[in-house]
Each structure stands twice: as structure tokens, then as C-alpha cells.
Amino acid sequence: MIMVLITQTDIVMQDDTLFSLAGRRALVTGASRGIGLTLARGLGRYGAKIVLNGRHPEPLEVARAMLEREGVDAAIAPFDVTDQDAVIAGVEKIEGECGPIDILINNAGIQRRAPLDQFSRADWDALIATNLNAVFFVGQAVARHMLPRGRGKIVNICSVQSELARPGIAPYTATKGAVKNLTKGMATDWARHGLQINGLAPGYFKTEMNEKLVADQAFTQWLCQRTPAGRWGNVEELVGAAVFLSSDASSFVNGHVLMVDGGITASV
């Protein structure tokens, strides 16, 4: 008689719904373009219903129409993520009119570059407001609905600058380092209630925010030499990690920051 031992791992590996987002609703902040729009499209292709957030409705409508042409169920929710009252009202409206938010992609962010000794207070305040305060405001507002349901996924967009610094962007580095630890704090408080809160940290990607760096041949040469993968990342390469952190595949992953950086943080 031949006996076959079936392990829990075998069962998991055969579960083709592990990465499915069917029936779930994802709010993506800063979603009218760039990484936010790419992640919204990616989650939509795995079955999620998407709610696109940004300050202005016009570009969100353009993005929504594009996603719907591609077969993605999408709605828009324009509000300012740096305004806590607007965030609370916006999240309440989504929950009431669209339905429960199952996934939050906390993506909204900005960059300001200047020598540290010349960095203006206005630029510092703008970075703190958008890159850090907004992550707290939206994360808290969404979690208040997730906690009673006992489930939910929050993915905070961190950065390679959550770990490393580079001349001219010290305040940005400070905000992304703070987001990394805020992510750990959220997990520490909310994991026991059934939520998974993790960070997704892109390395150097070809985005609108990095257009000047991509066009700088000297910088691109340095980056390709510094990065083990030897190139810039393409934003579509972030989708797999976002789907993993948004799906049942990451059901016991909490407070983790997943680097998607071509190996730059792994080498000296």
C-alpha cells in the first residue's frame, strides 16, 4: 500500500484563489497617475473594485475612464489627504456609497529637492503633510471601519529612502523613514484585530517624479552601477508585490516593509 502525505503547504500551493482580489474594494490615494494609477490598474486586474483618490476630480475621471475601458470596476473619491476632516468625510462617503474598503494603498506623496542647509520651511511642511500626516490620517480613518469587521489590508508606500539617504533629499528621507516605523506601529496596534499593515518600498523607478533624474545621464550611469539589477525599475514591476500584500497570500505578514529595488539595499 502506498501512502501519500498531503501537507498544509501542498494545499496552499494548489489554491489558485490565494492572490485573487475578487469581491474586494481598494482605495488608492494619489491615484491619478504614476505609481498610484499603476497599482490601481494592477489590483483591478486581479479582481478588486477600485476607488481612485486625488485632490482634483478631472484627472481622476480621466484615470477612471481609462481603467473602465480596460475592464476594471473603478470609482473616484476626490479629497485632500492632508486635511484630516476631509479624509474622514471622504472615507465615510466611500463606505456609505460604494461599500466597505477592504484594501488601502496609502500612496500619495511628493518630493522636494534642495541642499539641507537651504531647505525651506514651506517645503519641509509640505513633505510632512503629504508624505507622513496623510498616511496617518487615511490609515486611521480607514482602520476605524476595518477594525469592527475584523479584517483589512493597509499597504503604505515607503521607499528605498526609508533605509538610505542621498544628498539633497534629507527631509524626504525623514518622511519615508517615519512611514516605515508608522507601518510597524499600525501593525503592532491593529494586527490583533485581523488587519495586515505592511509597507511597499520602491527603489528607483521611471516615474514622473523622477523624470529629471532619468534624463540625467550621469545619475542614470551611477544608478545602474550602484544597483545589482543594473537598471531603473519599471512601475509595472511593483504590481506583484502590491497584489501579494493586498491578498490572502500575506495573511500572516504584518509590519513588514517589502523592498522592490533591484537589490540596491542589499549591496554596498
Side-chain angles (χ1 to χ4, degrees):
M1 181 173 65
I2 300 175
M3 297 182 65
V4 178
L5 178 64
I6 299 177
T7 67
Q8 184 67 34
T9 301
D10 295 324
I11 295 172
V12 170
M13 291 299 288
Q14 294 171 11
D15 183 358
D16 58 4
T17 68
L18 200 59
F19 294 90
S20 173
L21 302 177
R24 302 183 190 184
R25 182 171 289 99
L27 169 62
V28 184
T29 68
S32 62
R33 61 179 184 170
I35 288 175
L37 181 55
T38 298
L39 296 184
R41 176 189 287 113
L43 268 58
R45 287 176 176 172
Y46 276 77
K49 298 177 181 180
I50 304 300
V51 181
L52 303 166
N53 163 261
R55 292 189 181 190
H56 306 294
E58 294 82 6
L60 291 177
E61 280 290 0
V62 172
R64 182 199 60 77
M66 181 185 68
L67 292 184
E68 291 203 333
R69 286 194 299 270
E70 297 174 4
V72 174
D73 185 331
I76 69 167
F79 57 83
D80 183 354
V81 292
T82 69
D83 180 336
Q84 189 174 27
D85 291 337
V87 168
I88 293 170
V91 169
E92 291 286 345
K93 186 175 181 180
I94 295 167
E95 289 270 338
E97 297 182 2
C98 298
I101 299 169
D102 304 292
I103 302 160
L104 167 63
I105 307 294
N106 242 334
N107 167 74
I110 60 173
Q111 175 65 287
R112 297 287 187 270
R113 297 182 176 93
L116 185 56
D117 58 303
Q118 300 172 32
F119 211 89
S120 73
R121 171 65 186 272
D123 283 343
W124 170 269
D125 288 344
L127 284 169
I128 294 294
T130 305
N131 294 359
L132 181 56
N133 289 351
V135 174
F136 168 67
F137 293 159
V138 183
Q140 183 189 64
V142 169
R144 284 173 174 167
H145 292 273
M146 290 178 169
L147 291 168
R149 294 193 286 261
R151 58 183 172 81
K153 300 276 189 173
I154 297 177
V155 181
N156 295 327
I157 302 302
C158 300
S159 169
V160 67
Q161 262 75 51
S162 296
E163 301 293 339
L164 303 174
R166 190 172 63 78
I169 58 168
Y172 177 85
T173 301
T175 63
K176 289 301 183 177
V179 171
K180 178 187 75 170
N181 269 0
L182 179 57
T183 300
K184 293 178 182 293
M186 287 178 171
T188 301
D189 278 15
W190 297 337
R192 71 194 71 184
H193 301 290
L195 278 61
Q196 288 88 50
I197 305 92
N198 294 289
L200 173 57
Y204 285 89
F205 281 75
K206 292 180 180 178
T207 65
E208 291 160 342
M209 186 183 291
N210 286 331
E211 280 180 341
K212 291 183 179 179
L213 292 179
V214 174
D216 185 333
Q217 292 185 357
F219 184 86
T220 292
Q221 182 179 12
W222 169 84
L223 177 67
C224 292
Q225 291 174 342
R226 175 67 179 82
T227 305
R231 62 178 175 85
W232 285 87
N234 298 308
V235 289
E236 292 78 12
E237 292 177 292
L238 293 167
V239 170
V243 171
F244 167 66
L245 293 176
S246 300
S247 70
D248 289 342
S250 58
S251 60
F252 201 57
V253 181
N254 240 315
H256 177 69
V257 177
L258 177 54
M259 308 297 298
V260 184
D261 64 358
I264 196 169
T265 54
S267 66
V268 294

